[in-house]
Amino acid sequence: MSEIWFRTGEATVLAADGQYTDAMPEVLIGSVRGPVGQAFAGMLGQVQGHTRMFVVRDLNQLVRPSTIMTTKVTIHTAEYAELLGGVVQAATGDAIVDCVIEGILPKDGLDELCMIITIWLDERCGSHEDLDRKDLYRTNYEATKLAIGRAMRGEPTIDELIANRKTVKHYALEGIIEY
């Protein structure tokens, strides 16, 4: 395996109707000896409201490559923290292992890599009475696999970004700017 120093990827998978389970992970992949490894080691402490944890599939099942996940949203409730450290963490872990199985992440030299994943979990999930945990798993699993794959393939390429510059715009610009 040639050394992977710094790869980034992101993805969005939208929730089922009536749910707030959109998933938008951002992934940083790199060598444990490079800048990603330094950032990884520096994240081992906690920051109030933005819990950092190793990604595990279940008790005693730390994924490879070693991965830390943290939230993009401040944690305010135990219910939210439970979803993050439960369904979302499990979906993320399963996606990482499947990326190795499918050859998206290289099996050789896996312990020389580490990942940091920032997780979007809508604050409304913690108090949503009819939360569909299966959909929460689905969106996080699919988005994590997409983000890792895009990081490893270098997608989107600059040529793709240039080609769609006037046809793709951020959803928040609807009605604000016309191309």
Side-chain angles (χ1 to χ4, degrees):
M1 172 187 88
S2 63
E3 200 144 32
I4 297 169
W5 282 97
F6 196 95
R7 304 258 179 109
T8 59
E10 63 77 39
T12 299
V13 173
L14 299 177
D17 287 342
Q19 296 296 311
Y20 305 108
T21 56
D22 297 340
M24 301 173 212
E26 295 163 350
V27 176
L28 181 60
I29 305 170
S31 169
V32 296
R33 292 184 303 276
V36 179
Q38 290 175 346
F40 183 96
M43 290 183 70
L44 291 176
Q46 293 298 321
V47 175
Q48 185 175 354
H50 293 272
T51 298
R52 299 165 173 175
M53 62 185 85
F54 282 119
V55 176
V56 299
R57 293 187 54 252
D58 194 10
L59 300 175
N60 302 310
Q61 290 291 302
L62 178 69
V63 300
R64 298 283 182 229
S66 294
T67 304
I68 289 180
M69 61 184 266
T70 189
T71 62
K72 298 180 193 181
V73 175
T74 304
I75 298 173
H76 293 290
T77 67
E79 293 80 11
Y80 183 98
E82 182 181 320
L83 290 172
L84 179 70
V87 175
V88 174
Q89 184 183 44
T92 301
D94 287 351
I96 292 167
V97 172
D98 285 349
C99 281
V100 175
I101 291 168
E102 295 171 23
I104 297 166
L105 287 168
K107 188 174 179 183
D108 292 337
L110 206 58
D111 286 334
E112 297 301 314
L113 293 177
C114 60
M115 294 195 300
I116 299 168
I117 301 180
T118 58
I119 302 291
W120 165 260
L121 178 60
D122 192 303
E123 290 183 285
R124 294 172 287 188
C125 285
S127 60
H128 190 257
E129 290 182 17
D130 295 320
L131 179 70
D132 184 345
R133 291 173 185 252
K134 286 182 181 180
D135 197 57
L136 182 62
Y137 178 93
R138 176 192 67 82
T139 58
N140 281 277
Y141 174 85
E142 290 176 9
T144 300
K145 277 187 69 178
L146 280 170
I148 291 169
R150 289 175 178 163
M152 295 304 290
R153 292 185 301 270
E155 296 174 353
T157 65
I158 191 59
D159 290 335
E160 290 172 309
L161 292 168
I162 291 168
N164 71 29
R165 169 62 179 90
K166 296 292 184 176
T167 58
V168 175
K169 66 181 172 187
H170 195 281
Y171 73 89
L173 296 178
E174 192 64 42
I176 295 174
I177 189 170
E178 296 300 321
Y179 292 144

